[in-house]
Amino acid sequence: MTQDADGQPLSIALGIGGTIRIGEQHLGVAETLAIVEAIARTGSVQGIATELGLSYRAAWERLRTLESALGHQIVQKTRGHGSTLTETGVALHDALAEAAAALAGPLAREGRSVQARLAGLLGDAAPTLTLVASHDLLLMTVLADWSGIAVVVAGSADSVARLTEGRADAAGFHCGPGGLALAGPAFADLGDTPGIRVRPLFEREQGVMLAAGNPLGIEGFADLARLRARTINRQRGSGTRVWFDRLLAEHGIEPSDIQGYATEEFTHQAVAAVIASGAADAGLGARAAAERFGLAFLSLGWECYYLACSASLPDALLDRVAEAVAEGADRTVGYRRAKGD
């Protein structure tokens, strides 16, 4: 864990702040939310005291000060039910709670960024960034012994969610040949999310991995259904699954027409291994995985693999990762540099 100059752990947690100004009165947003949230949650003024670390009397004083500034009663006593929020109190609670929820992800992301930026100044060790990424053979090979980055493998949708919610510093993901614009809200909205930077990391060739020699004679995607090929699917939320389902829709094929549609594996390599073992005939995946297991491969095109992070996160480490991966793409079958590299 990163230590500051006095040997204490460095931890950054940003929270909702600001003020509510009413005439000459200035109310702290965080404290106001804490007061109404405590009443909503506990039904007692004692809950305010506990939340703010105050005496019961001081909690009442804070509550009355808030009501005086607003010019409305926000808490009422209810026989047998303690204290409850009035209609005004509920409206105030809901407005502030919704604002806090909307800001939770951006604040968590920026907190991680601030911590990364300060750790190098206040700590002895360089910070370790958490990269949650969809599995890719080239990326995992490059990062296998990389210091300063902790890699967590997850589906593309989950990787993006963890980044936007502030549970990761960076996300690696892919979403098919159409790029972000055609990939649905989880991906399409990412490029327009304030505070998040998305960069193309590399391109890779995707297609149908087939048993060695292609014994079924599969010549196109539609043959998976027509020939009743035993197919291994990727898990829901993975970029490859997004592409597979899109291809089904484009070809007018129902999932029930694919033998093995509900059978899932979590990496390209796992899908390739199942096909190589003879337990399946086909599965969508990267050419690199097919090459590694000696499988036949029906190319369906190239897709971009992206790297996203907070725009305020220091660039140096991720820039080095991007360059190392680009160099690896130059010498690896089924990969190429992203356009513009």
Side-chain angles (χ1 to χ4, degrees):
M1 179 176 289
T2 303
Q3 305 287 315
D4 68 15
D6 296 322
Q8 298 299 313
L10 173 64
S11 180
I12 304 293
L14 304 182
I16 188 170
T19 58
I20 301 171
R21 181 175 179 178
I22 304 175
E24 298 301 318
Q25 299 283 348
H26 292 76
L27 307 174
V29 171
E31 181 173 297
T32 300
L33 176 58
I35 289 173
V36 293
E37 179 64 32
I39 291 294
R41 186 177 66 253
T42 68
S44 168
V45 175
Q46 181 58 48
I48 300 175
T50 301
E51 179 70 22
L52 298 181
L54 303 172
S55 67
Y56 184 77
R57 179 177 179 180
W60 265 110
E61 290 177 354
R62 296 287 180 89
L63 176 59
R64 295 310 178 207
T65 297
L66 176 59
E67 291 182 325
S68 176
L70 292 172
H72 292 272
Q73 183 180 357
I74 62 172
V75 174
Q76 60 189 358
K77 287 280 191 179
T78 303
R79 184 180 297 275
H81 296 282
S83 298
T84 60
L85 294 173
T86 64
E87 184 177 349
T88 300
V90 169
L92 179 64
H93 168 270
D94 290 351
L96 295 181
E98 288 172 13
L103 291 170
L107 286 171
R109 291 198 308 271
E110 294 309 308
R112 298 182 72 100
S113 179
V114 170
Q115 185 165 322
R117 294 166 70 94
L118 293 184
L121 299 174
L122 303 179
D124 295 329
T128 296
L129 302 183
T130 298
L131 168 62
V132 182
S134 174
H135 187 270
D136 176 79
L137 295 172
L138 173 60
L139 182 62
M140 297 305 150
T141 298
V142 169
L143 294 178
D145 299 313
W146 199 285
S147 61
I149 295 181
V151 181
V152 178
V153 175
S156 286
D158 189 20
S159 298
V160 168
R162 293 197 203 189
L163 171 64
T164 57
E165 293 166 6
R167 295 185 286 134
D169 298 299
F173 67 96
H174 61 105
C175 48
L180 298 178
L182 301 180
F187 304 104
D189 295 346
L190 193 64
D192 296 323
T193 301
I196 290 183
R197 179 174 62 250
V198 181
R199 70 168 87 179
L201 195 57
F202 56 84
E203 293 183 0
R204 66 184 184 183
E205 192 175 12
Q206 287 263 62
V208 182
M209 299 186 290
L210 302 165
N214 189 12
L216 293 182
I218 293 173
E219 297 180 350
F221 183 82
D223 286 345
L224 296 180
R226 185 178 66 84
L227 298 175
R228 300 296 293 166
R230 297 171 300 161
T231 303
I232 295 295
N233 210 347
R234 288 293 305 280
Q235 81 278 16
R236 292 185 182 276
S238 68
T240 301
R241 178 64 168 268
V242 170
W243 191 356
F244 188 77
D245 288 344
R246 189 188 306 161
L247 286 168
L248 290 180
E250 290 173 357
H251 286 81
I253 300 172
E254 294 295 327
S256 58
D257 294 333
I258 299 295
Q259 184 177 350
Y261 178 85
T263 305
E264 300 177 347
E265 288 291 347
F266 286 81
T267 67
H268 294 268
Q269 188 161 311
V271 172
V274 172
I275 298 170
S277 74
D281 302 309
L284 197 64
R287 177 182 286 277
E291 292 280 338
R292 179 169 294 189
F293 283 83
L295 303 178
F297 185 76
L298 175 65
S299 179
L300 295 177
W302 292 76
E303 69 169 354
C304 186
Y305 190 104
Y306 299 91
L307 181 66
C309 66
S310 171
S312 58
L313 195 70
D315 289 330
L317 183 57
L318 294 181
D319 283 347
R320 292 198 299 273
V321 170
E323 182 55 34
V325 171
E327 291 175 357
D330 289 339
R331 56 178 182 268
T332 306
V333 173
Y335 290 91
R336 65 190 184 194
R337 287 179 180 250
K339 289 180 173 60
D341 281 3

